[in-house]
Amino acid sequence: MSQFRGIIFDMDGVIVDSEPVHERAFREVFKEIGYGETHGIDFPFYYGRSDHALWQDFITKHHPIETLEQLTDRKQRLFLQIIREEEPIFEALPDLLAQLSGQYKLALASGSFHPVIEVILSMKNLRQYFPVVVSVQDVPRGKPAPDVFLRAAELLQVKPAECCVVEDAAAGIEAAIAAHMTVIGITNSLPREKLTRAHHLVSTYKEIADLLLPLDHP
């Protein structure tokens, strides 16, 4: 893996164990607005995608009286409340970042909005590892389009072919492939059979370290 100069991390499901929290927050808002049992949303389909993508599909299906902005803000507030209370950063993640930051340029490329990203990166002193942070707010299209990854590579001043992406979701894997980057899929959120398009499949952060760090790393 020595051909890489930049490592780009997804956030939800890779940095923070947030996919279950997103679902809890969405379900609570659905319940509050009267769609607790009838929302019809398949949550795993939206892993790696933006909140807007889910809310747009929900609005198309149900035509609620609330606007896209109202629904997005309502869910985000509840999500952040839970995240602040629980701080569900993956336990082995900070050590991995510390090791990789000595060998590679690191970036974060997320389907979340900047306020959410900043709250999560404030935990465990994670912000220090990411000189480049790209949100779906910064690009025309969210995943599975490659825009966030291409923007991250541009800001890192690294060619896409010299980037490796760490992803937990099928949409993110497709985005990395479309960006002509190598992608490591980690089974934090979905089973292996849902991530088979990744170039490498792992279930632990140690396996990522083994792929990306010299053989004699501690």
Side-chain angles (χ1 to χ4, degrees):
M1 307 285 267
S2 60
Q3 74 269 29
F4 300 121
R5 295 178 57 220
I7 310 298
I8 304 174
F9 282 79
D10 173 45
M11 187 182 73
D12 291 291
V14 173
I15 301 292
V16 59
D17 189 12
S18 54
E19 297 296 4
V21 181
H22 281 292
E23 182 170 338
R24 283 163 60 190
F26 274 118
R27 287 186 181 277
E28 182 60 31
V29 176
F30 290 152
K31 181 179 177 181
E32 290 172 357
I33 64 175
Y35 295 90
E37 303 299 327
T38 59
H39 57 78
I41 293 297
D42 175 25
F43 291 101
F45 175 78
Y46 293 94
Y47 288 176
R49 302 171 188 259
S50 68
D51 282 8
H52 271 185
L54 187 152
W55 281 124
Q56 285 168 338
D57 288 351
F58 176 84
I59 289 169
T60 298
K61 183 180 181 68
H62 294 291
H63 307 288
I65 60 172
E66 295 85 356
T67 66
L68 173 62
E69 289 72 22
Q70 289 170 328
L71 292 169
T72 300
D73 289 347
R74 192 166 177 172
K75 181 265 175 179
Q76 181 172 293
R77 285 195 302 272
L78 183 55
F79 172 81
L80 286 176
Q81 177 185 331
I82 299 170
I83 287 290
R84 287 189 177 104
E85 291 171 355
E86 299 183 2
E87 294 196 3
I89 303 298
F90 286 105
E91 184 176 358
L93 187 278
D95 284 345
L96 176 66
L97 294 178
Q99 293 177 76
L100 292 178
S101 63
Q103 303 283 332
Y104 301 97
K105 296 180 176 182
L106 302 187
L108 185 142
S110 176
S112 288
F113 283 11
H114 278 293
V116 175
I117 295 171
E118 291 306 318
V119 166
I120 289 168
L121 291 187
S122 72
M123 299 172 185
K124 310 292 184 185
N125 202 22
L126 297 181
R127 189 66 178 83
Q128 64 177 315
Y129 299 115
F130 294 108
V132 167
V133 173
V134 180
S135 161
V136 70
Q137 291 178 290
D138 303 323
V139 294
R141 301 172 298 171
K143 303 170 189 177
D147 301 29
V148 288
F149 292 134
L150 292 173
R151 179 61 176 157
E154 179 184 8
L155 293 172
L156 286 175
Q157 298 183 317
V158 174
K159 296 176 182 177
E162 297 175 320
C163 292
C164 181
V165 172
V166 182
E167 262 287 352
D168 72 305
I173 289 170
E174 293 304 321
I177 291 171
H180 302 290
M181 298 177 182
T182 299
V183 57
I184 298 172
I186 187 166
T187 57
N188 285 343
S189 305
L190 293 170
R192 297 178 76 88
E193 58 266 25
K194 299 288 188 181
L195 305 176
T196 55
R197 291 268 289 159
H199 298 94
H200 304 273
L201 269 174
V202 302
S203 57
T204 68
Y205 292 93
K206 182 182 183 303
E207 291 172 87
I208 297 175
D210 290 343
L211 284 169
L212 294 176
L213 292 169
L215 292 176
D216 58 352
H217 80 274

